[in-house]
Amino acid sequence: YKALFGLRALLEPKNIVICINGCRLDFVCSSMGQQMSQGKVGYIIEIGKRATNRARTFDRCDDESKLTTVNKQMDYIRQWSESLKG
């Protein structure tokens, strides 16, 4: 999962986007998930809600409008995490 972020950072300046779930704005792989599944499984998240919708990191993203940059994805993950602290 971390390697995917590095690869994306190299590809983004060339306007290349990988069309997989791991590149979605609303996809997160927890630290425990990275250890247990080697980053192959994560969650589709929604602000204010706990993560329950599992998704495979490297499966094709069905909604291309959800694909985004590493920075925007990281910002969304931080916003989601903060929204759970209530």
Side-chain angles (χ1 to χ4, degrees):
Y1 184 68
K2 289 181 181 180
L4 175 60
F5 276 75
L7 175 62
R8 290 170 62 199
L10 293 173
L11 295 175
E12 285 175 7
K14 299 175 183 185
N15 292 320
I16 299 172
V17 179
I18 305 170
C19 190
I20 58 174
N21 286 329
C23 301
R24 288 176 62 122
L25 175 74
D26 57 354
F27 182 88
V28 66
C29 186
S30 67
S31 297
M32 187 172 73
Q34 289 178 44
Q35 293 173 349
M36 306 249 336
S37 73
Q38 292 134 10
K40 295 177 187 171
V41 178
Y43 294 92
I44 305 299
I45 55 175
E46 188 176 337
I47 300 292
K49 296 184 179 181
R50 295 245 173 243
T52 58
N53 186 9
R54 291 182 69 172
R56 297 181 63 78
T57 305
F58 298 100
D59 281 358
R60 188 180 194 304
C61 177
D62 293 332
D63 185 353
E64 292 181 16
S65 71
K66 296 285 186 179
L67 298 173
T68 192
T69 65
V70 171
N71 287 336
K72 287 181 182 177
Q73 184 179 14
M74 295 299 286
D75 287 344
Y76 188 84
I77 292 169
R78 277 190 285 278
Q79 290 172 17
W80 168 75
S81 181
E82 288 295 317
S83 77
L84 299 178
K85 293 179 182 176

